[in-house]
Amino acid sequence: MERLASRFAETGLPRMSARVFATLIVSPDGALTAAQIGQFLSISSGTVSTAVQSLVRIGLITRENVPGSRRDLYRVREDPWPDVFAIRSLWLREFAKSSLEDLELIDESNAGARQRLSDMREFGLFVMPRLEQIVEEWRALRGARPSPA
């Protein structure tokens, strides 16, 4: 679990969110309550709360009500990866837009800053359609797969 968490953290996920996500992935059902997560990781309920809120917000997990209980169950979403990459594509679009706005604010005589901002924008515009294509291809592949028995 810690090895998996380290890999998630290396991709930019906050360390505790990475640990919580890895814990959910390796759990038998892919779902645990906040108390179970806290107990497994030996962390406070506040730390669990912050981590799961982050994971829900970025679309890696869902929060479900447990019938007859005041507790919530946190579950790894089925195949969350296309949505995560689609969100990254939207982020790249905003990244490119804001880079252009920043570029317009930089004095013409500051060629170095203008070049770096231009490179940032061009990279975002270059990568964005490729991410969108990858998501489409993945969804088509998943749609063509027979469901597990």
Side-chain angles (χ1 to χ4, degrees):
M1 185 280 304
E2 290 295 344
R3 222 171 78 120
L4 184 58
S6 291
R7 280 182 276 178
F8 289 138
E10 287 170 7
T11 67
L13 202 58
R15 184 176 180 280
M16 197 51 65
S17 294
R19 291 184 73 216
V20 168
F21 188 50
T23 299
L24 288 168
I25 285 180
V26 301
S27 69
D29 296 326
L32 297 167
T33 65
Q36 290 170 320
I37 295 167
Q39 183 178 5
F40 184 82
L41 294 175
S42 298
I43 58 176
S44 72
S45 60
T47 301
V48 172
S49 178
T50 300
V52 295
Q53 286 175 18
S54 170
L55 294 167
V56 167
R57 186 176 59 251
I58 61 175
L60 291 174
I61 68 171
T62 60
R63 183 178 70 203
E64 303 169 7
N65 293 323
V66 176
S69 172
R70 292 179 43 187
R71 294 181 179 211
D72 289 325
L73 190 67
Y74 296 95
R75 179 180 306 281
V76 175
R77 285 192 47 229
E78 184 176 329
D79 197 27
W81 313 114
D83 291 334
V84 170
F85 275 83
I87 290 167
R88 292 289 187 219
S89 181
L90 292 173
W91 178 84
L92 282 170
R93 182 174 284 117
E94 288 303 311
F95 179 78
K97 179 183 172 190
S98 67
S99 295
L100 181 60
E101 292 167 357
D102 294 340
L103 189 59
E104 292 170 353
L105 297 174
I106 299 294
D107 189 82
E108 294 285 333
S109 65
N110 191 344
R114 293 184 64 77
Q115 183 61 53
R116 287 185 291 277
L117 286 167
S118 180
D119 289 347
M120 283 174 35
R121 182 175 188 279
E122 289 174 21
F123 179 78
L125 293 173
F126 174 79
V127 172
M128 184 178 53
R130 285 161 177 78
L131 278 178
E132 291 167 352
Q133 182 62 37
I134 289 168
V135 168
E136 288 175 24
E137 289 175 14
W138 177 254
R139 287 185 172 142
L141 175 70
R142 295 293 285 201
R145 272 191 199 171
S147 49

